[in-house]
Amino acid sequence: MARNKEAVVLVIDVGPSMHSVLPEIEKVCSLLIQKKLVFSRYDEVGFILFGTADTKNELKEEIGGYEHVTVLRNVKVVDEDLVDALQKLPRGSVPGDFLDAIVVGMDMLIKKFGQTNKAKKRLCLITNAVSLIKDPFEGTKEDQVNTIATQMTAQGMKMDCVIVRMKQDWETNRRIMEENDFLMSVFSNKSSSKVVYVESPTSLLGALRTRNISPVTIYRGDFEISAQLKIKVWVYKKTSEEKFPTLKKYSDKAPSTDKFATHEIKVDYEYKSIEDPNKVVPPEQRIKGFQYGPQVVPISSAELEAVKFKPEKSVKLLGFTDASNVMRHYYLKDVNIFIAEPGNKKAILALSALARAMKEMNKVAIVRCVWRQGQGNVVVGVLTPNVSDKDNTPDSFYFNILPFAEDVREFQFPSFSNLPSSMQPNEKQQDAADKLVQMLDLAPPGKQEVLPPDFTPNPVLERYYRYLNLKSKHPDAAVPPLDETLRKITEPDVELLSRNKSIIEELRGSFELKDNPKLKKSARRIKERPSGSDEEREEFNKDADVKAIDSMEYSAKTEVEKVGDVNPVKDFEEMMSRRDNPKWISKAIQGMKNKIFDLVENSCEGDTFHKALQCLVALRKGCILEQEPKQFNDFLCHLSKFCQEKDLRSFCLYLTSHEFTLITKAEAPDSEIPEHEARSFMVKPELDSQNMKSEAKAEDDIMSIYLGGK
């Protein structure tokens, strides 16, 4: 058998205690074959049932025993007939012995591939393991399992054991279940066997590995701690998103009688000159161009290759930091796993010592990685220690890619703590919300977690493969409704909701629900007073534009491109709300700054001060929401200095009278202004004004002396 092929023997318990879950087993086994038809159509599959009334296997004929074990299909290449056979499993009438069935499956693989073939051979056992295993003729059941496990390892076989335990199974003989679980644990410890327990149909769908993906290293080499200390490591992908299958273009132009037609479509591209559409431009006369402002800059392939960053293949340690310093939302892309080079005892010992030291000190490592020679980019990531609790599994590290500054998206939103008490939940509302969260807990104490990632399949892919199988048999078949098992993955549990109607009604009754009419602007009102405000500002609040002070009601229905003269606050808010291009934020802030300068400079006896203050309030709010406090604070200081120089101190006094201040660190984390400094900023213009008045009075006194005054 070829190295990249796999032989699988499905060993399924069809005894009376399994009848309730056999429909789900039929689905998952059919899906395994469907995926093999798509991804591994040359793999071979055999099929064994145990717990049947009849007995049909070669060991029964050769040496006797092995009763109630039926070989439904010998090991051979997958085909569509097997899918149909798995969708109609016969129901057995006697309790099954899974040890007998495992031995029959091993015998099938040995006879098919011989004693020396070390190709990929796998047994898939599906049972609830609640039936009594008969005693062997010699020794104990544990001895028998040890013998089977040893032979399994010698033949290069692996086994996946899926133990399906529904609620009704726990009511059976506990002693038998515990004994069978112990035997399963022996398989797991003595051979390459994996045992998983599932309690729901959805977990069953993901418990059986339906697609075999060979582990491939993305890096083999040194993990460089320093120039003198290097550890040999291998890096594998731990998780990787399963992509939707690529649908190829298909042509039906080939004659139906042509058995060797591939029906493939070949696509060719031609580049033609704008000046002469009939002239094809050859590759040597074409060059790539990149938009740079209003112009296109041509860059040849040689120049593009020369400007590329070409680091050497390596994995280097940059340093350590506390695990709390690396936030979960910083993780990018897939997860990799670092292991020591297999068979290298020194590397295994060194990596284990490093992992355990980091675990004990609650540290993570920051590393720089270039996985292959000629790679065009460098990734910086975090290594998290994974200390194993099994004797036969060495310690390792999980690797997550960290973002650079260009990769981080900072979207700031108002804090709930800034809302008035009337807009915050009371104790009754909070208690109702707490009950809802507890009701929908997916990992309740004492029960198996619902929808665990390891056992929850992608419902989109599952449905696609099922429909693909249906379409292959019935080309005109309509898309069937969503399967109930898949529905439980995509929708809340209907039974759970019906059992807890009182909690839902309590939550609904705790909040006043109203229809949300369609308005031109959001109905949200977030009241945030400038720092240092008190009740004396009520008169100002009445006169000021409520839309500018109480909220930032962003609306992007009208595409405003500049801050205008008629309603600058509205224009500013609409520009800030646009997310089609990041330039609108900076453009809106700069436009509002210019507008404020114009209003202050062109005022006549303070007639535009009120409007300028409205614009300042809107600008202040926008800079807090977009985390640009430095821009606002620098602008306000510059504006204050400008007013001092241009004899516009009355505007500074106007701001002081309304207690308008800088953005403090309490309002925006990026601000460098403490509360006391913001308060002192309000006093400075007033003091400067008083100083100027005293200086002016002194000048008048001097002039009166020169003019002969008293």
Side-chain angles (χ1 to χ4, degrees), residues 362-425:
N362 195 29
K363 298 285 186 178
V364 293
I366 307 299
V367 294
R368 168 191 180 275
C369 303
V370 180
W371 304 123
R372 59 186 181 276
Q373 195 68 29
Q375 180 176 315
N377 66 317
V378 175
V379 295
V380 173
V382 56
L383 282 182
T384 305
N386 176 37
V387 178
S388 174
D389 56 356
K390 296 182 179 179
D391 295 336
N392 57 351
T393 304
D395 298 330
S396 57
F397 286 97
Y398 290 133
F399 174 83
N400 292 90
I401 298 177
L402 294 177
F404 291 105
E406 296 83 355
D407 305 322
V408 177
R409 300 291 181 265
E410 288 290 350
F411 299 114
Q412 298 296 328
F413 302 98
S415 172
F416 287 124
S417 60
N418 291 337
L419 295 173
S421 58
S422 60
M423 298 181 66
Q424 296 190 25

Side-chain angles (χ1 to χ4, degrees), residues 220-221 231-234 339-345 347-348 351:
R220 295 188 186 188
I231 304 173
K232 293 289 184 182
V233 296
W234 287 13
I339 64 170
E341 184 181 49
N344 188 332
K345 293 184 178 180
I348 294 173
L351 198 74

